[in-house]
């Protein structure tokens, strides 16, 4: 037998160019890194990346990087992936430095939250750009964490798929398989982290260690070559007489390895066996034969074996395989469906591609600093948005510290005009001149300066823009009662903010934005100086203003120009109240045609008699098409609403609220079988 | 005299709760020691919706059964049903390694695991995994492949699964008594144990258990289950239909159905109208017999068509149902139902009757009791296999089974 130099330190020294980074992103990623650090990991840098300083401080990683220092001020992302991505972009210098020259990068991340879901795709991309082989271990949230988080997670997963060479997912829901449910929670989580840690170690040693039958990067690439980078992983470690079979059994049982899928889907299976000096050929043989039963006959098995004296009596098996599916087309097609709401698209259309990040920043800032974001100076937006910001900002911006400093300066940057308004009066030319009429308004202490400014602008607005009906309305009210108006205006803003906030993530397919975000980084000259971010923020403010205005305009347009002010207010309020109602109703309606109707029939009866308008008809007519549309595919749409009601009428007295009202309706081929067949046939 | 084993079968039906205490002798015969039953409340479509009410009814049934049989009921075999139960056939494939030629017990276990690798919804659990046939190297329908030589072992399994929470809710309801649940059995599979004899099963038979809340079916082909399922429509629906269409109270509708209902248009009494006398809350009406039977027939025809569609959709065919269709369950007592079923399925239909019991059976030969009594038979079979773990023991159990089967059913 050929003698190897088996001292791992030496072997690493002999191959210096091979360097590995293990990066944990976000809270759960950091936990994994801690676990790996605790168990010891040689030959790899452990890095923890997090927005939350507190979590970062307790981390045991060798290198720690705080993401988005100025963006989150050391707090977490609060479950907002947009903010997470933004934070990663903000710290990209640090990250790129970390990634430079790495041959292999492991990303451990818990998806579903803010930092993990947002930052991981960005970082994976950077790692890829730095030329590293990227393996992502992603933990998916528990089902009970709610749909929002799981949506965020799946969105992030889609993005990760593009950038990662290999993507291994661990569903938290499967944690129950690791431990007896009665055992401590801590144990369960620790075990889950441990599994990921093991996997990282196994893959690293697989590639970096010299072996009897060596597996190299090329084999790894072959094993993982497929089009959606999802892959399966199993690791087992056992000692004792029957260690080969036991280790394989463990590996096959690994929660990261879906056995059924491996049997059917795997085309390339990479197997690595590592044992102490007692590893025998017989063991390898039995193990491989056992494995042969588990995989498809025509699957290619890439086999590697190594001897590592550190393992002593134990034997470890690592199985790595990708799922060869021809599915990606579907996924690509599915992605655009998620995108759509037209509202924000307006903004996107207005902005030029370089400013594509605007909505994101808007939402980010809105989350951090809710009240000050106000839509004030509209005239600037249409009049001369492009030239103005640089000139105005120029005097304010130079102090670099401002960018780094927290909240106050942040909105100062956002609204340079406001800053200018207060101290150096002469500098802001046109706006100030218009102030006088608004000045007498008793400015309450609580009214922010921004608000004041808002009123001022309204005076200005009346002249140029004919479309701003609401603004002109609000002015008289403002004179009458400032406190009330303040509330109202703020409400309006909050609404608009909320809208931006909620819509932005949906509208924007993250990947696209990432690509765009990348662009300013390329012209190196622009990045470093603080002027660059400032105009974009300025733009963002402008966009927000435009958005709010257009929103209000739209709303008013619907209700025609009613002259009486109170009526207007009432109408507007009703608009807002009614709008959310319809989406709630159709849900039960689509589930069953009849059962929920029991509840509704009683209240609905009296209403048509009482009111001359048919308001209840709206939710129902709105609901019916929705339900019909849902059922359209399997069954011909035939429910006539009036007839439906007569059935309910008949059912009502005879069955005391329905014999089957408490059970799931029996629906077969679109027909509700709980309705008498006799009546259905007659129809 | 063989050692006796007392089993208790419990069925919580939509219409009645039935507890049967039976003594299963090792020679395969069953002696019914006692039956307790009580009308069921708080159960809809085979599933408990009101726990407290259902428990009260169950208590009543249990007490009666204990009284009559003089047995303290602690462990029961539970029959469940409900539209959430689904079934699927799946085949597991195992390649026997090159150096091993004989098929072993472990291989059987392995292939069973593989066959269980079916995508079922995450909330569901397996209720049954019933072996249909083994295939060795493509050779058809091997009964027991252990010890055979072969390269490739395949196994067809019939898998019944249902929503975990619904199954567990019922079990939890029983635990409060306290009653231990030995095992949970899908209703029609239990009923088939007594309704279908060996010959019928191997010829091919369709068992339909038309109960109060559900219609359950199980199809046998070549002695093995080919399809099974449950549809959430039963006698309760007929009652409801009558109440709705004829605008009469529910209790009246139920009585009307039992006393006068029929699925044949011309059947029934000679008069064209049935007089329902009024009382304090209800003005009497005359019920048109034609309407009455029309309502029932429409419903039952629809149910049969649904079962037919389901079976065809599952990939099984009705061509091989040589022994015919067996109807059981309370609703199967409806007049003319066998004729209607014959029209729909174009296969001979019989109402089930079973005789291999001793004891109180004569009172309980009615098809309503097929499921709870079948449970005892099922329990007997499972128990007889249970201690057999070794190869020898297992073969013996199989042999026992075969022997007892022949004695029972021939």
């Amino acid at each position: 037998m050929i003698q190897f130099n088996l001292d791992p330190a030496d072997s690493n020294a002999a191959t210096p160019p091979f360097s590995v980074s293990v990066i944990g992103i976000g809270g759960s990623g950091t936990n994994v890194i801690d676990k790996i650090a605790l168990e010891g990991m040689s030959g790899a840098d452990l890095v923890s990346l997090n927005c939350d300083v507190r979590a970062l401080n307790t981390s045991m990683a060798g290198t720690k990087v705080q993401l988005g220092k100025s963006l989150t001020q050391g707090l977490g992302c609060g479950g907002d992936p947009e903010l997470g991505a933004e934070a990663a972009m903000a710290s990209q210098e640090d990250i790129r430095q970390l990634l430079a020259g790495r041959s292999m990068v492991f990303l451990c991340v818990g998806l579903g939250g803010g930092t993990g879901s947002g930052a991981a795709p960005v970082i994976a991309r950077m790692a890829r750009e730095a030329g590293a082989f990227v393996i992502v271990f992603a933990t998916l949230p528990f089902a009970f964490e709610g749909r929002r988080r799981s949506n965020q997670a799946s969105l992030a997963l889609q993005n990760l798929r593009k950038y990662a060479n290999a993507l291994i997912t661990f569903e938290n829901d499967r944690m129950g398989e690791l431990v007896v449910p009665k055992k401590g929670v801590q144990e369960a989580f620790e075990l889950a982290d441990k599994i990921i840690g093991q996997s990282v170690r196994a893959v690293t040693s697989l590639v970096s260690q010299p072996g009897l039958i060596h597996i190299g990067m090329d084999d790894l690439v072959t094993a993982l070559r497929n089009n959606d980078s999802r892959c399966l992983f199993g690791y087992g470690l056992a000692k004792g007489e029957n260690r080969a079979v036991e280790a394989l059994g463990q590996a096959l049982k690994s929660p990261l390895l879906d056995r059924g899928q491996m049997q059917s889907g795997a085309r390339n299976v990479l197997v690595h066996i590592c044992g102490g000096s007692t590893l025998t050929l017989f063991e390898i043989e039995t193990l491989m034969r056992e494995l042969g039963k588990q995989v498809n006959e025509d699957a290619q098995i890439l086999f590697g074996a190594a001897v590592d004296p550190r393992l002593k009596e134990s034997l470890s098996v690592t199985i790595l395989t990708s799922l060869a599916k021809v599915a990606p087309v579907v996924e690509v097609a599915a992605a655009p469906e998620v995108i759509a709401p037209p509202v924000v698209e307006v903004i996107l259309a207005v902005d030029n591609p370089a400013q594509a990040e605007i909505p994101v920043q808007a939402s980010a800032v809105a989350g951090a600093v809710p009240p000050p974001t106000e839509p004030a100076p509209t005239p600037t937006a249409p009049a001369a948005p492009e030239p103005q910001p640089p000139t105005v900002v120029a005097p304010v911006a130079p102090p670099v510290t401002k960018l780094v400093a927290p909240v106050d300066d942040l909105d100062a940057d956002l609204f340079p005009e406001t800053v200018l308004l207060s101290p150096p009066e002469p500098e802001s030319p046109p706006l100030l001149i218009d102030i006088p009429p608004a000045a007498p308004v008793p400015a309450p202490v609580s009214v922010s300066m921004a608000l004041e400014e808002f009123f001022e602008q309204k005076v200005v607005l009346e002249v140029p823009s004919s479309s701003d009906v609401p603004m002109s309305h609000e002015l008289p009210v403002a004179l009458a009662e400032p406190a009330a108006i303040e509330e109202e205006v703020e409400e309006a803003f909050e609404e608009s903010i909320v809208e931006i906030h909620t819509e932005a993530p949906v509208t924007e397919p993250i990947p696209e934005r990432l690509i765009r975000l990348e662009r300013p980084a390329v012209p190196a000259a622009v990045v470093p100086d603080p002027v660059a971010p400032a105009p974009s923020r300025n733009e963002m403010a402008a966009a927000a203003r435009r958005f709010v205005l257009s929103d209000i305009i739209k709303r008013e347009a619907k209700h025609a120009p009613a002259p009486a002010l109170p009526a207007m207010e009432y109408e507007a309020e009703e608009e807002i109240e009614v709008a959310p109602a319809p989406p709630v109703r159709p849900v039960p309606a689509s589930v069953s045609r009849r059962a929920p109707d029991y509840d509704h029939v009683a209240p609905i009866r009296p209403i048509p008699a009482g009111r001359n308008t048919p308001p209840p008809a709206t939710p129902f007519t709105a609901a019916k098409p929705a339900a019909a549309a849902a059922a359209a595919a399997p069954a011909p749409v035939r429910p006539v609403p009036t007839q439906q009601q007569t059935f309910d009428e008949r059912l009502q007295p005879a069955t005391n609220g329905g014999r089957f009202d408490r059970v799931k309706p029996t629906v077969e081929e679109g027909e509700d079988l709980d309705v008498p067949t006799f009546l259905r046939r007659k129809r | 005299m063989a050692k006796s084993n007392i089993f208790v079968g419990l069925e919580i039906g939509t219409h009645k709760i039935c507890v049967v205490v039976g003594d299963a002798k090792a020679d395969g015969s069953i002696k019914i020691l006692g039956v307790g039953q009580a009308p069921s409340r708080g159960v809809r479509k085979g599933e408990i919706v009101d726990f407290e009410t259902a428990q009260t009814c169950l208590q009543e049934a249990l007490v009666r059964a204990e009284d009559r049989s003089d047995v303290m009921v602690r462990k029961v075999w539970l029959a469940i049903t409900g539209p959430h139960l689904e079934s699927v056939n799946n085949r597991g494939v195992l390649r026997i390694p090159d150096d091993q030629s004989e098929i072993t017990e472990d291989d059987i276990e392995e292939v069973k695991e593989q066959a269980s690798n079916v995508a079922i919804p995450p909330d569901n659990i397996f209720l049954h995994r019933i072996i249909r046939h083994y295939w060795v190297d493509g050779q058809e329908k091997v009964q027991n492949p252990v010890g055979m030589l072969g390269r490739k072992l395949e196994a067809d399994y019939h898998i019944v699964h249902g929503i975990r929470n619904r199954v567990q809710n019922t079990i939890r309801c029983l635990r409060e008594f306290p009653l231990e649940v030995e095992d949970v059995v899908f209703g029609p599979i239990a009923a088939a144990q007594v309704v279908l004899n060996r010959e019928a099963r191997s010829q091919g038979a369709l068992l339909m258990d038309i109960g109060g809340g559900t219609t359950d079916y199980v199809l046998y082909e070549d002695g093995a289950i080919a399809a099974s399922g449950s549809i959430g429509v039963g006698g309760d629906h007929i009652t409801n239909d009558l109440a709705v269409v004829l605008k009469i109270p529910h209790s009246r509708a139920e009585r009307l159905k039992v006393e006068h209902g029929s699925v044949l248009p011309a059947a029934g009494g000679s008069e064209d109208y049935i007089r329902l006398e009024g009382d304090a809350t209800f003005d009497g009406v005359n019920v048109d017999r034609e309407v009455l039977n029309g309502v029932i027939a429409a419903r039952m025809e629809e149910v049969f068509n649904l079962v037919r569609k389901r079976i065809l959709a599952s990939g099984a065919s009705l061509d091989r149902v040589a022994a015919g269709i067996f109807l059981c369950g309370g609703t199967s007592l409806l007049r003319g139902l066998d004729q209607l079923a014959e029209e729909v399925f174009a296969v001979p239909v019989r109402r089930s009757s079973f005789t291999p019991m001793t004891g109180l059976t004569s009172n309980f030969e009615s098809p309503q009791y097929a499921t709870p009594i079948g449970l005892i038979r099922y329990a007997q079979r499972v128990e007889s296999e249970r201690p057999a773990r070794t190869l020898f023991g297992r073969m013996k159990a199989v042999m026992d089974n075969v022997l007892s089967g022949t004695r029972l059913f021939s």
Side-chain angles (χ1 to χ4, degrees):
Chain A
M1 184 171 152
I2 304 162
Q3 285 295 315
F4 280 98
N5 181 1
L6 290 172
D7 183 14
D10 275 10
S11 65
N12 272 337
T15 54
F18 189 80
S19 57
V20 178
S21 262
V22 186
I23 302 179
I25 305 165
S28 97
T30 311
N31 286 346
V32 175
I33 294 291
D34 285 356
K35 192 76 197 165
I36 296 174
L38 271 176
E39 302 208 333
M41 172 103 185
S42 60
D45 287 348
L46 300 181
V47 184
S48 161
L49 303 179
N50 204 342
C51 291
D52 190 346
V53 178
R54 217 160 36 113
L56 208 58
N57 282 341
T58 56
S59 169
M60 305 165 97
T63 318
K64 303 173 192 178
V65 175
Q66 185 193 348
L67 298 178
K69 267 179 208 159
S70 53
L71 205 61
T72 65
Q73 282 102 46
L75 297 175
C77 285
D80 181 4
E82 298 291 330
L83 197 57
E86 198 71 1
M89 284 312 293
S91 312
Q92 62 166 313
E93 298 294 314
D94 296 340
I95 299 171
R96 281 184 195 279
Q97 210 170 346
L98 272 175
L99 295 169
R102 298 289 166 193
S103 0
M104 193 182 248
V105 171
F106 292 92
L107 295 181
C108 305
V109 58
L111 297 182
T115 316
S117 319
V122 182
I123 294 168
R125 198 180 128 74
M126 292 177 187
R128 221 29 210 285
E129 282 167 2
F133 186 83
V134 181
I135 300 177
V136 179
F137 288 91
T139 314
L140 301 181
F142 286 104
F144 60 67
E145 285 179 76
R147 185 173 297 168
R148 190 192 140 98
R149 278 178 88 91
S150 72
N151 284 349
Q152 287 181 359
S154 57
L155 195 65
L157 207 63
Q158 271 190 13
N159 292 326
L160 278 171
R161 249 178 218 187
K162 290 185 208 145
Y163 304 126
N165 290 84
L167 176 63
I168 299 166
T169 55
F170 176 78
E171 287 164 40
N172 269 346
D173 285 325
R174 297 188 67 179
M175 215 180 261
E177 294 173 20
L178 300 177
V179 277
V180 187
K182 277 181 191 161
K183 285 225 177 153
V185 188
Q186 203 186 349
E187 196 171 339
F189 277 86
E190 267 180 16
L191 259 171
D193 290 345
K194 193 176 162 188
I195 283 181
I196 297 174
Q198 269 179 349
S199 322
V200 170
R201 197 171 302 118
V203 177
T204 329
S205 63
L206 180 145
V207 186
S208 61
Q209 271 178 1
L212 303 170
I213 303 168
H214 186 64
I215 283 191
M217 265 315 212
D218 49 335
D219 294 308
L220 202 60
V221 173
T222 315
L224 302 179
R225 183 188 302 140
N226 69 346
N227 25 28
D228 82 345
S229 77
R230 283 287 292 269
C231 62
L232 306 173
F233 181 90
Y235 176 79
L237 180 76
K239 55 171 102 178
E241 205 173 302
N242 203 17
R243 59 186 187 179
V245 178
E246 273 171 33
L248 179 70
Q250 274 183 29
L252 290 174
K253 270 188 206 139
S254 164
L256 302 178
L257 184 94
D258 192 335
R259 193 170 175 180
Q261 275 194 322
M262 184 176 93
Q263 268 164 356
S264 56
R267 291 279 163 276
N268 297 306
V269 183
L270 185 144
V271 191
H272 189 254
I273 301 171
C274 191
S277 42
T278 52
L279 180 70
T280 63
L281 185 61
F282 173 70
E283 278 172 338
I284 295 178
E285 214 179 300
T286 30
L287 199 152
M288 291 309 288
R289 201 173 32 213
E290 280 295 314
L291 185 74
K293 288 191 216 166
Q294 303 293 341
V295 297
N296 210 319
E297 278 179 56
D298 37 276
Q300 183 194 2
I301 296 183
L302 302 161
F303 166 71
V307 170
D308 183 350
R310 281 174 302 177
L311 280 171
K312 295 188 184 116
E313 291 303 302
S314 355
L315 180 147
S316 77
V317 182
T318 311
I319 302 173
L320 202 56
T321 172
S322 64
L323 294 175
K325 291 261 167 65
V326 208
V329 189
V330 184
E331 272 148 22
V332 172
E337 283 176 14
V338 187
I339 317 158
V343 195
V344 188
E345 265 177 21
V346 177
I347 295 177
L348 286 175
V350 175
D351 299 325
N352 60 49
Q355 297 152 346
E357 57 181 342
I358 283 164
V360 184
Q361 280 194 342
S363 69
V365 175
V369 197
T373 350
E374 37 60 74
T378 6
T380 55
E386 305 308 325
Q388 207 170 357
T391 49
V392 179
V393 174
V396 188
V400 185
T401 45
K402 276 215 163 165
L403 273 177
V404 189
V407 187
D408 310 22
D409 293 44
L410 216 135
D411 62 340
D413 283 339
L414 275 175
F415 311 108
E417 296 93 336
T418 41
V419 181
L420 287 175
L421 268 175
S422 46
E425 302 224 322
E427 268 196 49
S428 59
L431 292 175
L432 267 183
I433 300 162
D434 290 316
I435 288 184
V441 173
V445 190
S446 65
V447 174
S448 71
M449 211 172 50
L451 199 62
E452 232 174 303
E453 191 202 10
F454 179 56
F455 291 150
E456 292 151 19
Q457 252 103 56
K458 263 179 282 170
V459 185
V460 188
L461 267 173
E462 274 188 331
V463 189
S465 63
S466 57
S467 56
D468 302 336
V469 194
M471 299 295 196
S472 49
H473 276 310
E474 273 163 27
L475 184 66
V477 182
L479 293 171
E481 201 184 44
I485 230 240
E486 182 191 346
E487 256 182 37
E488 196 182 296
V489 171
E490 265 185 9
E491 240 176 59
F493 294 158
E494 268 166 22
E495 264 173 46
S496 63
I497 290 163
V498 168
E499 266 172 288
I500 299 175
H501 190 61
T502 49
E503 233 112 8
V506 189
T507 337
E508 268 215 51
I510 292 180
E512 272 179 36
R513 201 194 73 243
L514 287 179
I515 294 160
R516 283 180 184 169
L517 276 176
E518 199 50 35
R519 214 179 291 165
V522 182
V526 189
V527 182
D529 59 26
V531 189
S536 74
R537 287 209 167 126
N538 220 353
E539 279 301 314
M540 179 220 64
R545 282 167 224 143
R546 257 173 272 157
F547 175 69
V548 170
L549 275 182
S550 63
D551 189 36
I552 294 170
I553 291 163
K554 253 185 261 162
R555 192 179 294 162
E556 290 312 316
K558 262 186 218 163
H559 286 273
L565 185 68
M568 187 74 138
E569 266 178 3
Y570 173 74
E571 291 261 312
E573 259 179 32
E574 229 191 19
E575 224 303 268
I576 296 159
E577 271 174 31
V578 171
V584 187
R585 284 273 167 83
V587 178
S590 67
V591 172
S592 96
R593 254 178 296 136
R594 191 180 52 71
D597 284 1
Y598 281 128
D599 304 331
H600 297 315
V601 167
I604 283 165
R605 291 280 109 188
I607 292 169
R611 286 199 206 170
N612 43 8
T613 49
T618 38
F620 265 80
T621 41
K624 280 276 159 55
V637 192
R638 93 187 116 56
V640 185
T642 49
Q643 240 169 351
Q644 188 76 27
Q645 281 195 343
T646 52
F647 282 138
D648 293 339
E649 233 168 70
R650 282 169 161 195
L651 285 167
Q652 194 78 358
T655 57
N656 299 328
R659 175 83 175 145
F660 307 113
D661 64 338
R662 282 154 76 190
V663 287
K664 230 176 111 210
T666 309
V667 179
E668 194 83 26
E669 291 167 6
E671 287 197 44
D672 186 351
L673 296 189
D674 293 344
V675 176
T677 323
F678 187 72
L679 297 178
R680 271 182 284 135
R681 292 281 174 274
K682 253 187 162 178
R683 229 178 332 161
Chain B
M1 186 63 203
K3 183 185 81 141
S4 69
N5 253 331
I6 292 177
F7 297 112
V8 180
L10 166 64
E11 186 194 22
I12 300 179
T14 311
H15 198 251
K16 65 172 195 335
I17 292 178
C18 188
V19 182
V20 173
V21 184
D23 184 356
K25 311 262 169 58
D27 62 359
S29 62
I30 289 173
K31 183 179 176 191
I32 304 292
L33 299 180
V35 175
Q37 74 159 313
S40 169
R41 306 253 181 283
V43 181
R44 295 275 180 280
K45 296 183 186 172
E47 293 168 54
I48 301 177
V49 291
D50 180 347
F51 278 80
E52 276 177 29
T53 320
Q55 276 174 343
T56 317
C57 300
L58 177 56
Q59 177 72 29
E60 207 178 315
L62 265 180
V63 167
R64 281 182 198 168
E66 285 185 344
D67 273 357
R68 291 190 188 152
S69 63
D70 229 1
V71 169
M72 270 256 272
V73 177
R74 282 292 163 267
K75 288 183 173 180
V76 297
W77 291 70
L78 175 67
I80 65 158
T81 178
H84 65 95
L85 295 173
E86 287 173 40
S87 71
V88 62
N89 289 330
N90 195 36
R91 174 174 294 189
V93 183
L94 184 77
R95 292 191 301 122
I96 307 294
D98 295 341
D99 58 345
Q100 175 196 334
S101 51
E102 216 170 87
I103 294 166
T104 64
E105 290 281 316
D106 293 341
D107 293 331
I108 302 276
E109 279 301 308
E110 184 79 38
V111 82
K112 182 174 180 181
E113 284 307 311
Q114 298 225 359
S116 319
N117 243 326
V118 195
I120 62 171
D123 305 342
N124 281 23
I125 48 163
F126 290 122
L127 213 59
H128 292 289
R129 290 180 295 183
I130 302 168
I131 180 69
R132 300 177 59 212
H133 306 287
Y134 291 106
W135 304 62
V136 177
D137 291 346
Q139 181 193 344
E140 260 183 80
K141 300 186 182 157
V142 178
Q143 279 286 326
N144 186 0
V146 174
M148 285 179 75
L149 303 181
R151 290 258 62 85
K152 195 166 87 171
L153 173 64
E154 289 165 278
D156 285 340
Y157 271 86
H158 183 76
I159 291 159
V160 181
H161 57 94
I163 296 173
R164 179 196 302 267
N165 289 343
R166 305 224 192 146
V167 178
Q168 269 173 353
N169 273 340
T170 315
I171 296 175
R172 212 193 58 208
C173 175
L174 298 185
R175 287 254 170 84
E176 286 173 19
F177 270 91
L179 279 181
E180 275 301 306
V181 177
E182 234 359 75
D183 203 351
V184 178
V185 186
F186 184 28
I189 293 178
Q193 304 297 317
V194 288
V195 173
L196 305 181
N197 59 25
R198 178 166 291 268
E199 195 186 342
R201 273 183 272 180
S202 59
Q203 282 180 354
L206 172 64
L207 170 82
M208 266 195 278
D209 181 349
I210 311 168
T214 59
T215 296
D216 309 329
Y217 61 89
V218 56
L219 175 72
Y220 275 86
E221 266 177 18
D222 293 328
I225 298 182
S228 67
S230 175
I231 292 169
V233 179
D236 230 13
H237 280 81
I238 299 179
T239 309
N240 192 48
D241 292 356
L242 292 177
V244 171
V245 176
L246 305 174
K247 301 197 177 91
I248 53 176
H250 219 267
S251 54
R252 291 301 190 96
E254 176 72 26
R255 231 165 68 200
L256 185 68
K257 175 185 80 173
V258 174
E259 287 173 6
H260 299 281
S262 163
V263 293
L264 302 177
S270 50
E271 333 81 54
D272 288 330
Y273 287 92
I274 302 157
R275 175 68 195 165
L276 288 189
E277 295 302 330
D279 58 22
T281 56
F282 165 66
D283 299 332
V285 288
N286 287 329
V287 175
D288 190 334
R289 202 176 275 282
E290 211 177 306
V291 175
L292 168 70
N293 293 349
V295 170
I296 301 177
R299 172 62 81 181
M300 288 323 294
E301 195 179 336
E302 183 182 56
V303 172
F304 286 149
N305 276 318
L306 269 178
V307 171
R308 190 161 161 268
K309 268 187 214 161
R310 286 259 185 114
I311 288 176
L312 296 180
S314 74
S317 83
L318 286 163
D319 307 338
R320 297 169 68 189
V321 181
I325 292 170
F326 293 75
L327 296 179
C328 66
T331 307
S332 72
L333 294 171
L334 260 179
R335 290 162 198 82
L337 198 63
D338 39 0
Q339 291 178 39
L340 182 68
E342 221 163 305
E343 274 173 38
V344 174
F345 289 94
V347 168
V349 175
R350 349 180 159 171
R351 280 178 213 240
S352 69
S353 60
F354 42 93
T355 47
M357 309 291 159
T358 60
L360 294 168
T361 51
S362 56
N363 292 330
F364 301 104
E365 272 172 22
S366 157
Q368 295 179 48
Y369 301 96
T371 304
I373 292 176
L375 275 174
I376 293 181
R377 182 90 190 85
Y378 182 90
Q380 185 192 21
R381 292 201 158 178
V382 173
E383 283 293 317
S384 69
E385 274 182 37
R386 201 167 271 179
R389 278 294 111 198
T390 60
L391 178 60
F392 177 69
R394 197 173 174 120
M395 282 175 70
K396 183 173 168 287
V398 171
M399 287 305 289
D400 277 353
N401 229 0
V402 172
L403 288 176
S404 63
T406 35
R407 200 169 304 168
L408 256 178
F409 294 130
S410 51

